[in-house]
């Protein structure tokens, strides 16, 4: 049944994306930018409904009160395609930094350009990165929220954290709060897999790290706070969903956490 539900969900998920893009394009490209943002936000809501109805996956968000007013950097764990869109309905005017190749995709690239996302050549250095930072600062000056995945790429649940120092430079140069987010959607929507698994998980929005810290101290604090919450949620999520097939990284990390818990009990 999981395989059947997964195929059904994936088929409808991508059909939902393509049909919405085509049918709603005339309105999207004529409407003011912020008004047009309702389309991707409603698309995200429809995906949550599809996950709940077809797959049986639900989630809850803790800590919405921790989102500051105005501009800030959102720094979520990155485990699956789910977390690239999941929080859109709760954000006022988010902006992404995307690899420039994504802008070449028909329709998607046009939609992204309308929302003034910031394309970047990942292999670029020097002047190009300065231009990206200047463009980011310009977008944030209007009160937008920047979404950055501190580890840079999708990581399986429980994997050893590999945070990139770039977020510390952004924190220093942009001088705005950073909001860490811990969650484990990768247990239900695994990377590089068509399977989707039923169950329930939490998204935990942590208190913002306010500007002004030394970048090295900020970086250490971001990792410690995010990983501590991530470990807590990993234990909780697996306990609530004993049916889940666990990847090796998760099994290994769970054994470590349970050993520490037993030793301190």
């Amino acid at each position: 049944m999981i395989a059947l539900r997964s195929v059904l969900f994936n088929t409808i998920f991508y059909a939902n994306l393509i049909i919405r893009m085509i049918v709603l394009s005339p309105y999207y490209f004529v409407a003011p930018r912020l008004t047009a943002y309702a389309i991707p936000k409603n698309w995200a809501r429809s995906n949550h409904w599809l996950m709940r109805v077809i797959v049986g996956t639900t989630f809850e968000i803790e800590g919405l009160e921790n989102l500051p007013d105005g501009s800030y950097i959102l720094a979520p764990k990155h485990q699956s395609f789910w977390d690239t869109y999941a929080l859109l309905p709760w954000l006022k005017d988010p902006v992404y930094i995307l690899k420039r190749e994504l802008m070449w995709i028909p329709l998607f690239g046009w939609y992204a350009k309308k929302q003034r996302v910031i394309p970047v050549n990942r292999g670029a250095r020097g002047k190009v990165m300065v231009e990206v930072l200047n463009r980011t600062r310009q977008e944030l000056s209007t009160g937008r929220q920047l979404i950055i995945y501190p580890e840079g790429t999708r990581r399986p649940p429980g994997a050893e954290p590999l945070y990139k120092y770039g977020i510390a430079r952004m924190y220093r140069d942009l001088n705005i709060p950073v909001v860490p987010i811990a969650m484990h959607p990768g247990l239900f929507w695994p990377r590089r897999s068509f399977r989707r698994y039923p169950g329930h998980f939490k998204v935990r929005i942590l208190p913002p790290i306010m500007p002004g810290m030394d970048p090295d101290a900020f970086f250490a604090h971001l990792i410690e706070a995010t990983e501590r919450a991530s470990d807590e949620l990993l234990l909780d999520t697996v306990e609530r969903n004993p049916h889940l097939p666990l990847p090796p990284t998760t099994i290994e990390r769970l054994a470590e956490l349970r050993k520490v818990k037993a030793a301190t009990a």
Side-chain angles (χ1 to χ4, degrees):
M1 284 299 294
I2 287 178
L4 180 60
R5 286 173 180 263
S6 299
V7 169
L8 181 61
F9 170 80
N10 290 329
T11 302
I12 297 177
F13 174 84
Y14 288 107
N16 182 39
L17 172 62
I18 295 169
I19 292 172
R20 280 175 182 262
M21 278 189 171
I22 294 172
V23 173
L24 297 176
S25 284
Y27 171 78
Y28 182 82
F29 291 111
V30 170
R33 187 187 65 80
L34 272 176
T35 303
Y37 221 148
I39 291 178
K41 289 183 179 184
N42 286 333
W43 169 72
R45 291 188 185 96
S46 71
N47 292 334
H48 296 330
W49 183 84
L50 290 173
M51 283 286 284
R52 184 177 74 251
V53 172
I54 298 176
V55 183
T57 308
T58 58
F59 68 95
E60 61 184 291
I61 300 179
E62 299 177 344
L64 282 170
E65 69 278 4
N66 289 325
L67 296 178
D69 295 327
S71 293
Y72 54 86
I73 297 173
L74 204 67
K77 292 287 286 184
H78 191 21
Q79 295 182 352
S80 86
F81 185 51
W82 184 89
D83 47 69
T84 64
Y85 68 79
L87 297 178
L88 282 178
W90 291 273
L91 302 176
K92 182 179 178 182
D93 187 17
V95 60
Y96 293 82
I97 296 178
L98 301 178
K99 58 182 181 181
R100 63 176 181 174
E101 290 81 2
L102 294 175
M103 303 297 290
W104 303 339
I105 301 175
L107 277 180
F108 174 83
W110 307 336
Y111 267 68
K113 186 176 181 180
K114 170 86 173 186
Q115 294 305 326
R116 298 205 305 261
V117 303
I118 303 165
V120 60
N121 178 1
R122 285 190 172 182
R125 294 291 186 274
K127 183 178 179 181
V128 174
M129 296 310 297
V130 171
E131 291 174 356
V132 169
L133 181 61
N134 289 338
R135 172 75 188 282
T136 302
R137 188 178 287 112
Q138 179 183 359
E139 293 298 332
L140 295 178
S141 69
T142 65
R144 303 189 73 180
Q145 303 81 47
L146 177 65
I147 300 177
I148 293 179
Y149 302 99
E151 292 177 276
T153 189
R154 292 176 298 170
R155 304 275 294 158
E160 180 183 359
L162 290 176
Y163 288 66
K164 310 297 183 185
Y165 195 76
I167 191 170
R169 297 190 182 100
M170 298 288 277
Y171 167 81
R172 176 196 63 196
D173 294 341
L174 296 173
N175 196 38
I176 58 176
V178 172
V179 182
I181 298 182
M183 53 186 170
H184 290 290
L187 292 172
F188 304 85
W189 184 323
R191 62 178 193 155
R192 302 170 188 166
S193 173
F194 83 95
R195 288 181 178 267
R196 309 288 177 259
Y197 297 100
H200 183 80
F201 66 97
K202 295 179 180 179
V203 175
R204 183 170 295 170
I205 301 173
L206 303 177
I209 305 173
M210 303 308 290
M213 291 180 67
D214 173 81
D216 290 343
F218 157 79
F219 191 60
H221 178 60
L222 172 70
I223 296 173
E224 191 277 331
T226 306
E227 292 305 310
R228 182 177 67 249
S230 184
D231 285 342
E232 291 172 0
L233 289 180
L234 186 62
L235 285 166
D236 179 73
T237 304
V238 172
E239 183 177 326
R240 288 171 177 263
N241 303 274
H243 61 282
L244 288 172
L246 303 178
T249 56
T250 306
I251 295 172
E252 182 178 347
R253 185 57 182 161
L254 281 171
E256 294 171 355
L257 293 174
R258 285 166 175 163
K259 184 177 180 180
V260 171
K261 186 176 180 180
T264 57

